[in-house]
Amino acid sequence: MKSYLVDDKGFYGEYGGAYVPEILYATVENLRKQYLDILETKEFQDEYAALLRDYVGRPSPLYYARRMSEKYGCHLYLKREDLNHTGAHKINNTIGQILLAKKMGKTRIIAETGAGQHGVATATVCALMDMPCVVYQGALDVERQSTNVERMKMLGAEVRPVTSGNATLKDATNEAIRDWCCHPSDTFYIIGSTVGPHPYPDLVARLQSVISKEIKEQLMEKIGRDYPDYLMACVGGGSNAAGTVYHYVDDEHVGIILAEAGGKGADSGHTAATIHAGSMGILHGARTLVMQTADGQIVEAESISAGLDYPGIGPMHANLAKQRRATVLSINDDEAVRAAYELTRLEGIIPALESAHAIAALDKVRFKPDDVVVLTVSGRGDKDVETYLANKNMTNLTTRP
Ligand SMILES: *Cc1c(COP(=O)(O)O)cnc(C)c1O
């Protein structure tokens, strides 16, 4: 049967693979050889499940959004990853990776971060597991995301600002890879999304797949069948989307709608819509769609949402788009802000700016009245309230008396 999951060589169609410097070859190969065996042990499974339950707060609720359903003419369920400890889905992945690191005998953790969400999720599990943690973050992001920098420091992580390039996420990732090259034997690199060299995209997708595992059980309980008509999620690197679709991806009855960040417009030159604007290239160890100039220089991604601001895309999602298994919509900054206000006013849920891109996509799909739609709210919007208030002019709301 045709599968959209990774093949035994680490590819999703023509995307993926492991393009790493010689010095990292043995380290990545060692991870590839061990990860499935460790993930499948009962010991790992039990520890991981217990932490997801008692520490993260899973299962996250599947909430029937009545007023939004009325507005969009469907049955809309929200998968509430915003209610997790640390406020987003990222912790599902960092808990799993640090358990794996420990089982592999690693003693030091490094990570890259853009907005700081993955940095906080990594620093959190390092505090929990008493592991030293270095987080690389672009100097510009360190300045822009000071609250998350302070959270990481309070959690005991060392934040190293990166001044090369544009001093943002891509440069922080380069620096993390450089660190890894210098300390391949004792250091585990916790990557924050379904990106990087094989086996990372598959590892992260498996760890996030708890989302779709729960959706199956929760739908069965609520509507008596375990699949929806549509799944919807936002994509930066692709991890919350991968987790949302994982157990459904080979079942073509279930439609998949992905929302990427259009920024000021997918063709405006100020965008993070990699699937629309990118072309084949190699970024951070994988062959995938990349936003680049004609001579292969990476073009900086632009979006109002720091978590979607990445010039690449996970190989799994590049393939889902190429094979037309997923419909990919580009959502602009103003559409995301409007959608966030709408969810806030109709359901009393302030979503992360990233998640707001998925909500905005509801307006671009023609649903049938019986359609069951599950949309993942990847994170909460506390971190974005300033941005929302500063951009209220993008909506036509007036303040309620
Ligand atoms: C980081 C982040 C994203 C984007 O990352 P993916 O790997 O594409 O899921 C989306 N939503 C929130 C809340 C995030 O913090």
Side-chain angles (χ1 to χ4, degrees):
M1 193 190 87
K2 180 171 177 177
S3 176
Y4 294 93
L5 296 173
V6 76
D7 70 19
D8 53 9
K9 296 197 173 60
F11 280 85
Y12 301 82
E14 56 195 302
Y15 307 96
Y19 299 82
V20 296
E22 191 67 34
I23 193 162
L24 281 180
Y25 179 80
T27 309
V28 173
E29 181 60 10
N30 192 33
L31 177 63
R32 186 190 68 76
K33 280 193 198 131
Q34 291 193 53
Y35 81 111
L36 287 179
D37 288 344
I38 296 177
L39 255 55
E40 280 158 16
T41 59
K42 182 164 188 313
E43 190 187 322
F44 180 96
Q45 290 285 328
D46 289 351
E47 255 180 278
Y48 184 50
L51 284 168
L52 288 181
R53 186 187 63 228
D54 301 333
Y55 189 71
V56 176
R58 303 201 72 91
S60 64
L62 185 70
Y63 166 70
Y64 182 67
R66 187 181 55 81
R67 295 182 68 199
M68 290 286 282
S69 293
E70 277 166 18
K71 163 134 202 212
Y72 290 103
C74 65
H75 297 287
L76 176 66
Y77 291 86
L78 302 177
K79 183 59 174 161
R80 299 289 309 277
E81 295 300 299
D82 57 314
L83 296 176
N84 293 341
H85 179 45
T86 70
H89 66 292
K90 288 203 169 73
I91 190 108
N92 304 328
N93 170 47
T94 56
I95 293 229
Q97 284 198 49
I98 203 162
L99 286 177
L100 179 59
K102 283 182 56 151
K103 308 266 179 242
M104 291 180 68
K106 304 288 180 177
T107 54
R108 175 176 178 266
I109 299 295
I110 58 170
E112 84 297 332
T113 197
Q117 296 299 108
H118 174 58
V120 168
T122 304
T124 299
V125 297
C126 286
L128 179 69
M129 298 292 173
D130 192 22
M131 294 267 259
C133 177
V134 174
V135 178
Y136 289 92
Q137 186 172 28
L140 190 63
D141 290 334
V142 170
E143 232 170 84
R144 292 192 290 198
Q145 311 288 340
S146 60
T147 314
N148 277 340
V149 174
E150 280 153 21
R151 289 167 81 193
M152 288 185 269
K153 287 184 176 164
M154 182 163 175
L155 287 158
E158 181 194 341
V159 180
R160 292 196 188 157
V162 175
T163 52
S164 58
N166 297 295
T168 58
L169 176 60
K170 153 182 76 68
D171 314 291
T173 306
N174 290 339
E175 210 54 47
I177 293 172
R178 232 163 265 149
D179 177 314
W180 202 23
C181 288
C182 297
H183 309 92
S185 57
D186 67 339
T187 296
F188 192 95
Y189 179 14
I190 297 190
I191 294 186
S193 189
T194 40
V195 298
H198 180 65
Y200 278 100
D202 184 51
L203 169 62
V204 176
R206 281 171 190 264
L207 294 172
Q208 291 292 358
S209 73
V210 64
I211 298 174
S212 54
K213 178 171 167 272
E214 289 173 5
I215 292 172
K216 280 197 141 180
E217 293 161 4
Q218 290 167 323
L219 276 181
M220 187 50 118
E221 198 183 300
K222 285 181 198 296
I223 64 168
R225 71 173 217 219
D226 70 353
Y227 63 95
D229 297 291
Y230 293 98
L231 291 164
M232 299 178 70
C234 65
V235 274
S239 69
N240 87 89
T244 302
V245 308
Y246 193 87
H247 288 100
Y248 296 109
V249 75
D250 291 335
D251 174 0
E252 310 244 4
H253 299 297
V254 180
I256 297 174
I257 297 166
L258 304 177
E260 58 176 0
K264 299 207 162 53
D267 301 312
S268 67
H270 302 275
T271 186
T274 310
I275 295 174
H276 280 95
S279 55
M280 186 68 97
I282 290 178
L283 182 64
H284 300 138
R287 187 159 188 258
T288 188
L289 296 172
V290 180
M291 296 205 298
Q292 55 190 326
T293 61
D295 50 4
Q297 290 298 310
I298 304 302
V299 174
E300 192 75 358
E302 277 186 51
S303 158
I304 194 169
S305 147
L308 300 181
D309 219 343
Y310 183 64
I313 175 78
M316 176 183 180
H317 307 70
N319 186 51
L320 291 176
K322 173 82 193 272
Q323 309 279 339
R324 301 187 184 278
R325 173 68 183 95
T327 303
V328 182
L329 301 171
S330 170
I331 302 297
N332 296 345
D333 292 348
D334 57 336
E335 297 171 314
V337 169
R338 268 200 297 279
Y341 272 93
E342 183 178 276
L343 185 69
T344 303
R345 295 296 174 90
L346 289 183
E347 301 287 350
I349 297 169
I350 303 177
L353 256 168
E354 293 82 5
S355 323
H357 286 72
I359 296 154
L362 286 166
D363 200 33
K364 311 211 167 200
V365 185
R366 181 93 30 98
F367 297 111
K368 295 195 288 293
D370 287 342
D371 281 344
V372 172
V373 180
V374 173
L375 184 153
T376 294
V377 180
S378 53
R380 67 176 82 124
D382 306 28
K383 66 186 178 57
D384 300 315
V385 169
E386 263 179 59
T387 310
Y388 285 142
L389 291 175
N391 290 286
K392 189 153 178 236
N393 61 326
M394 290 178 174
T395 73
N396 45 23
L397 286 171
T398 47
T399 312
R400 260 192 212 170

